[in-house]
Amino acid sequence: AITARAELKTDIEYARAGGTNLMLDAFVPEGSGPFPACILVHGGGFTKGDKMNNFKPLFEPLSQAGLAWFSINYRLAPQNRYPACVEDVDTAIRWVKAHAAEFKVDPKRIALIGESAGGYLVSLAGVRANADTRVAAVVPFYAPHDIESRVRQSPSIPVWVEALFGLTELNDAAWKILREASPTTGVREGLPPYLLIHGTKDDKVPLDQSVKFQEKMKAAGNVCDMIAVEGGA
């Protein structure tokens, strides 16, 4: 029998939103499947980054492990404010589920993986999911889970917060927006298992962003593991 070869397809349009063609790259392993799959959401402070460059170190290990993966672009700030990027992740999840047969994917075994800004996006998608966007696992790398506390620790409004939310002053309304947009706020029981990965020497997103999120997840009865990378920046 001829074994289906591994295949990488690039620049597949998964949606159009706000005048933007949203693209993803799809890797399907060798064999007949159905394969577990990962949706990869890149970082870049919500204002830059791209599906091919930011997450490169993960492509090879995921491929070697026999996983299908889909690396997505999403609408960037400040041209597109919150919640555009969040909506795009949800759209990508629905798209992968709808095209599961075509890409030999098991729709019940889809994980979200994101780094930095993308870590925030997958964490938020995981806590907010309903039936059609629910996934089997969520893996945020060095993600800001509680934007309100992050901003309260900063001497001024971080550039990415201004770009994403269009906030120029921190009044009660602004704090409410940041609180409601934080994955931590959405933690409830019955969430999929999370694996948090974070460097102990991260100077952009402090380790406690993952530590406190893990505490809240466990308190709600969810599975939430953490790999703290000693000395990781």
Side-chain angles (χ1 to χ4, degrees), residues 49-73:
D50 152 84
K51 60 186 167 56
M52 267 322 266
N53 300 328
N54 293 59
F55 241 175
K56 269 214 173 104
L58 272 190
F59 296 158
E60 193 64 22
L62 292 174
S63 305
Q64 295 293 336
L67 297 167
W69 52 261
F70 301 83
S71 187
I72 72 166
N73 277 349

Side-chain angles (χ1 to χ4, degrees), residues 67 70 79 177 224:
L67 297 167
F70 301 83
Q79 299 84 355
I177 289 166
C224 186

Side-chain angles (χ1 to χ4, degrees), residues 3-231:
T3 310
R5 291 181 33 222
E7 190 175 12
L8 175 65
K9 295 178 177 172
T10 57
D11 295 324
I12 302 166
E13 183 179 296
Y14 71 89
R16 282 186 191 186
T20 307
N21 295 8
L22 298 170
M23 312 297 252
L24 57 76
D25 298 337
F27 173 82
V28 182
E30 183 181 321
S32 54
F35 303 105
C38 311
I39 298 171
L40 308 178
V41 186
H42 70 76
F46 300 98
T47 59
K48 54 187 191 294
D50 152 84
K51 60 186 167 56
M52 267 322 266
N53 300 328
N54 293 59
F55 241 175
K56 269 214 173 104
L58 272 190
F59 296 158
E60 193 64 22
L62 292 174
S63 305
Q64 295 293 336
L67 297 167
W69 52 261
F70 301 83
S71 187
I72 72 166
N73 277 349
Y74 51 87
R75 283 173 289 170
L76 298 174
Q79 299 84 355
N80 302 279
R81 305 275 192 209
Y82 174 90
C85 49
V86 185
E87 291 166 357
D88 295 345
V89 173
D90 282 345
T91 300
I93 296 167
R94 290 188 198 100
W95 187 93
V96 170
K97 287 184 176 183
H99 294 80
E102 183 187 335
F103 290 93
K104 299 186 279 191
V105 162
D106 180 351
K108 291 190 170 58
R109 289 191 297 162
I110 297 171
L112 297 178
I113 307 179
E115 52 107 23
S116 196
Y120 161 80
L121 291 172
V122 300
S123 186
L124 192 62
V127 300
R128 287 191 179 172
N130 50 36
D132 62 337
T133 54
R134 190 178 167 89
V135 293
V138 184
V139 186
F141 282 71
Y142 39 91
H145 299 279
D146 185 342
I147 305 179
E148 183 188 8
S149 76
R150 184 77 195 98
V151 175
R152 287 194 192 276
Q153 291 164 351
S154 303
S156 59
I157 301 178
V159 175
W160 61 271
V161 170
E162 194 175 324
L164 186 59
F165 298 99
L167 298 176
T168 49
E169 61 171 310
L170 295 172
N171 49 29
D172 288 348
W175 291 120
K176 184 170 186 277
I177 289 166
L178 297 179
R179 195 173 307 129
E180 287 176 354
S182 294
T184 304
T185 307
V187 171
R188 54 193 159 90
E189 64 179 351
L191 294 178
Y194 273 56
L195 170 63
L196 314 177
I197 300 171
H198 212 131
T200 61
K201 292 276 197 298
D202 192 325
D203 62 353
K204 290 194 176 64
V205 181
L207 179 67
D208 76 340
Q209 284 281 320
S210 287
V211 172
K212 291 189 168 138
F213 181 78
Q214 182 185 35
E215 286 168 4
K216 190 158 186 199
M217 283 284 285
K218 287 186 160 177
N222 298 307
V223 173
C224 186
D225 295 331
M226 180 156 80
I227 297 171
V229 180
E230 203 49 56

